[in-house]
């Protein structure tokens, strides 16, 4: 049985890797991204100035570490890239969990569809970190 080039696993993996990278070039959103970037920048410098946002303290600390190591050199592009890395890690852990239950090609197509349902790949954000931690928790419960 011959498959189209679009159904070959290497092509699907290539699209899974490429698709989120297409969206990291989007600019600054003054509603969420700018607000969160300010918090990540100030979490270690002046934490009392952002005490109103300690509801998402773990996200703030993870974002603060990212900006501590890469903030001056990468800026918003680096924060968007960190969001893509979180997405990649979520997909990889999902793949590891599901590979013994679902056929290889079907699983890759399913992960690609799940990835394409998300049209917005945010920066380091509490929604994508929560998803990553849920998938990681399922992995550790499974193993």
């Amino acid at each position: 049985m011959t498959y189209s080039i679009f159904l070959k696993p290497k092509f699907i993996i290539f699209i899974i890797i490429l698709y989120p990278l297409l969206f990291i070039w989007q600019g600054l959103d003054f509603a969420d991204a700018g607000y969160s970037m300010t918090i990540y920048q100030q979490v270690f410098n002046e934490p009392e100035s952002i005490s109103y946002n300690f509801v998402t303290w773990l996200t703030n600390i993870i974002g603060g570490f990212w900006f501590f190591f890469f903030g001056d050199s990468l800026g918003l592009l680096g924060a968007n890239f960190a969001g893509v890395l979180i997405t990649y890690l979520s997909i990889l852990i999902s793949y590891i969990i599901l590979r013994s239950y679902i056929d290889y090609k079907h699983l890759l197509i399913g992960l690609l569809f799940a990835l394409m349902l998300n049209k917005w790949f945010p920066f380091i954000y509490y929604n994508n970190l929560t998803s990553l931690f849920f998938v990681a928790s399922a992995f550790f419960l499974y193993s």
Side-chain angles (χ1 to χ4, degrees):
M1 174 180 247
T2 60
Y3 289 101
S4 170
I5 183 73
F6 300 111
L7 293 177
K8 294 199 183 260
K10 289 182 182 179
F11 181 76
I12 295 171
I13 292 171
F14 174 73
I15 296 298
I16 288 174
I17 292 170
L18 179 70
Y19 185 71
L21 291 175
L22 296 175
F23 295 97
I24 66 171
W25 306 104
Q26 293 177 349
L28 180 64
D29 173 17
F30 290 106
D32 288 333
Y35 177 76
S36 296
M37 297 305 130
T38 304
I39 291 169
Y40 301 157
Q41 182 186 29
Q42 295 298 320
V43 72
F44 296 127
N45 296 334
E46 197 174 333
E48 62 274 0
S49 69
I50 57 162
S51 61
Y52 56 87
N53 199 21
F54 277 172
V55 175
T56 57
W57 63 272
L58 184 59
T59 302
N60 297 340
I61 291 174
I62 291 171
F65 275 122
W66 181 266
F67 268 81
F68 179 75
F69 290 114
F70 303 110
D72 291 338
S73 60
L74 297 178
L76 180 64
L77 182 64
N80 289 342
F81 185 69
V84 169
L85 290 178
I86 291 168
T87 302
Y88 287 159
L89 195 55
S90 299
I91 289 173
L92 178 66
I93 294 172
S94 299
Y95 174 79
I96 291 171
I97 292 171
L98 296 172
R99 68 180 170 191
S100 60
Y101 298 108
I102 302 173
D103 181 49
Y104 178 68
K105 291 179 184 177
H106 295 122
L107 179 58
L108 287 177
I109 291 171
L111 290 174
L112 178 64
F113 283 151
L115 180 68
M116 288 186 162
L117 287 175
N118 184 11
K119 293 182 180 179
W120 180 58
F121 296 96
F123 47 93
I124 306 169
Y125 199 55
Y126 60 86
N127 288 334
N128 61 1
L129 280 174
T130 302
S131 299
L132 172 65
F133 292 145
F134 279 151
V135 172
S137 299
F139 170 76
F140 287 118
L141 284 172
Y142 174 73
S143 61

